[in-house]
Amino acid sequence: MSLRKMFFSSKVDNLEEVEGSAMSVLDLPDLVLECILEKLPPAALCSMAGVCSSLRSRCISNHFWENHMKKKWGRIIGPAAYREWQWHIALRTRKDSGHLKQGKAKDLRILSIVRSYWWIRSKVDDSSKQYSLPDDSIMSWFLALETGRFWFPAQVYNRENGHAGFVLSCYDAELSYDRRTDTFQARYPPYGRRAVTIENNVPWERLRAPPFDTSPHDLHFSDCLNELRPGDNIEIQWRRNTECPYGWWYGVVGHLESCDRNENYCGCHNSDTVALEFNQYTPSSRWRRTTVHRKEHREEGNEADGFYGGIRKLCSDEEISTWKRLWPSGILE
């Protein structure tokens, strides 16, 4: 028999064996099955988890969901959001413990979450069975974010739909995802006499994770002042009064008035005073320019012009390009 005939004869025999044995996906080698599951999108992993207990234990593994979490949510989820999630499940555990018999294990029943997620991604199999998911699993957190049931802290650029009073700023808010519009609802905290402010349809590109894991009322310690030079991109904390939370505002380091702006003779970086410019405002605006002390900078300002807080130097091209992309179409007063 020729080599060609032997090859095809062997393939036919193998095919008949596979057809006769009703091969299951679980018969695949572990490495092959893992490679397949790694390539599945979240909705498909949810579907596979409802097939049988063996696939369920694999599909809810943090190993697979870490990648999905990082890919979709990594840019806007920070340590504060994770800590909020831990508090969320801890409170729910205490609440649910009153409805459970003593000694019974506590699992999060996620059938309704998974079904609502399937509904938007794919058709629901009515024969799918309810299954339990550990509270602290990444899959549980992913689905809570995806369905909008979990509000998490993040920051919003140009809050309140680009209101003129917040252009080129970034403020803390609580966010909830709306999967129907692929946007977010933002809830800004109250301060003074101002009530909670709600903004709908906030797009992904106006969100970021907070750069520091601190309260928006805390003054940021500025560790970059000694290295600031004209032309550097910065963010600075600013608030209207001492009751308000800080927002981060974009600006650049400018030249001192005594400098002739000649790069060869500029000595601004040697001065104890740093000039900060906010070029989205007209030259005559009181918001256009301010100065801070390089060595003794603390919160500076007054009730009329607001209070300037900590400064962070921007070194990431991505961060700088984000601010420039948000630049207003017209100059502000």
Side-chain angles (χ1 to χ4, degrees):
M1 185 182 295
S2 68
L3 184 62
R4 182 182 179 86
K5 288 183 178 180
M6 290 177 62
F7 173 76
F8 282 108
S9 175
S10 176
K11 291 205 66 173
V12 171
D13 291 341
N14 291 339
L15 180 60
E16 290 174 350
E17 291 177 5
V18 171
E19 289 177 346
S21 62
M23 184 179 181
S24 166
V25 67
L26 295 176
D27 295 326
L28 293 171
D30 289 344
L31 182 59
V32 175
L33 180 55
E34 183 172 328
C35 290
I36 293 173
L37 295 179
E38 282 182 342
K39 294 182 180 299
L40 292 180
L45 267 181
C46 286
S47 298
M48 291 289 282
V51 172
C52 65
S53 59
S54 180
L55 283 174
R56 181 184 315 138
S57 63
R58 293 173 181 267
C59 293
I60 68 175
S61 169
N62 286 346
H63 169 70
F64 298 118
W65 289 94
E66 281 176 356
N67 294 330
H68 292 303
M69 177 66 77
K70 182 177 181 180
K71 181 178 180 180
K72 181 163 186 177
W73 297 98
R75 190 179 63 80
I76 64 175
I77 292 292
Y82 179 74
R83 186 167 57 251
E84 189 73 20
W85 171 248
Q86 294 299 309
W87 290 340
H88 177 77
I89 59 178
L91 289 173
R92 186 167 51 198
T93 299
R94 286 201 296 268
K95 179 179 178 181
D96 291 348
S97 63
H99 304 288
L100 298 174
K101 294 181 180 180
Q102 187 175 5
K104 185 176 181 180
K106 168 64 180 70
D107 280 329
L108 171 65
R109 296 289 180 180
I110 63 159
L111 178 64
S112 59
I113 298 179
V114 172
R115 287 197 173 194
S116 61
Y117 181 71
W118 280 344
W119 179 84
I120 196 65
R121 298 295 184 184
S122 59
K123 294 182 179 179
V124 179
D125 181 5
D126 293 333
S127 64
S128 61
K129 298 179 180 180
Q130 179 175 348
Y131 59 89
S132 299
L133 184 66
D135 282 349
D136 59 354
S137 70
I138 297 179
M139 180 181 177
S140 175
W141 189 17
F142 184 96
L143 294 177
L145 289 166
E146 189 73 21
T147 56
R149 298 190 178 192
F150 173 61
W151 289 77
F152 63 95
Q155 291 184 345
V156 182
Y157 293 100
N158 291 1
R159 61 174 281 182
E160 298 179 38
N161 200 28
H163 185 285
F166 297 104
V167 173
L168 291 189
S169 69
C170 199
Y171 276 79
D172 286 76
E174 290 185 326
L175 298 169
S176 173
Y177 181 60
D178 184 349
R179 63 176 181 264
R180 296 169 300 175
T181 60
D182 192 30
T183 60
F184 294 81
Q185 184 180 66
R187 191 164 58 192
Y188 302 102
Y191 56 87
R193 297 182 179 180
R194 183 164 183 166
V196 173
T197 303
I198 302 293
E199 180 181 358
N200 296 312
N201 302 316
V202 181
W204 286 84
E205 56 266 23
R206 282 180 51 211
L207 303 178
R208 76 175 184 184
F212 303 104
D213 188 19
T214 57
S215 165
H217 290 272
D218 292 344
L219 178 68
H220 171 66
F221 174 74
S222 307
D223 57 358
C224 63
L225 293 176
N226 289 331
E227 61 187 77
L228 292 180
R229 305 173 68 95
D232 285 343
N233 296 268
I234 58 98
E235 291 178 13
I236 185 170
Q237 290 178 310
W238 182 86
R239 57 181 174 178
R240 169 63 70 179
N241 56 57
T242 54
E243 294 183 355
C244 298
Y246 285 112
W248 287 99
W249 292 73
Y250 173 72
V252 295
V253 178
H255 291 271
L256 298 173
E257 293 182 356
S258 58
C259 178
D260 62 4
R261 299 175 182 265
N262 187 318
E263 293 183 1
N264 296 323
Y265 300 100
C266 176
C268 294
H269 59 283
N270 295 319
S271 173
D272 289 341
T273 300
V274 181
L276 304 178
E277 296 180 346
F278 306 93
N279 295 323
Q280 64 269 36
Y281 295 99
T282 62
S284 60
S285 172
R286 62 174 173 164
W287 311 113
R288 172 67 177 238
R289 184 181 173 93
T290 191
T291 58
V292 298
H293 197 278
R294 192 184 297 269
K295 296 181 179 179
E296 299 177 0
H297 175 61
R298 299 291 185 271
E299 184 179 63
E300 301 176 14
N302 53 60
E303 292 293 335
D305 297 330
F307 296 86
Y308 294 91
I311 299 172
R312 62 182 295 251
K313 179 181 177 180
L314 301 180
C315 300
S316 165
D317 291 338
E318 182 179 357
E319 282 191 293
I320 296 171
S321 63
T322 297
W323 283 113
K324 292 184 176 180
R325 176 174 49 80
L326 296 168
W327 198 269
S329 57
I331 198 164
L332 306 175
E333 295 293 336

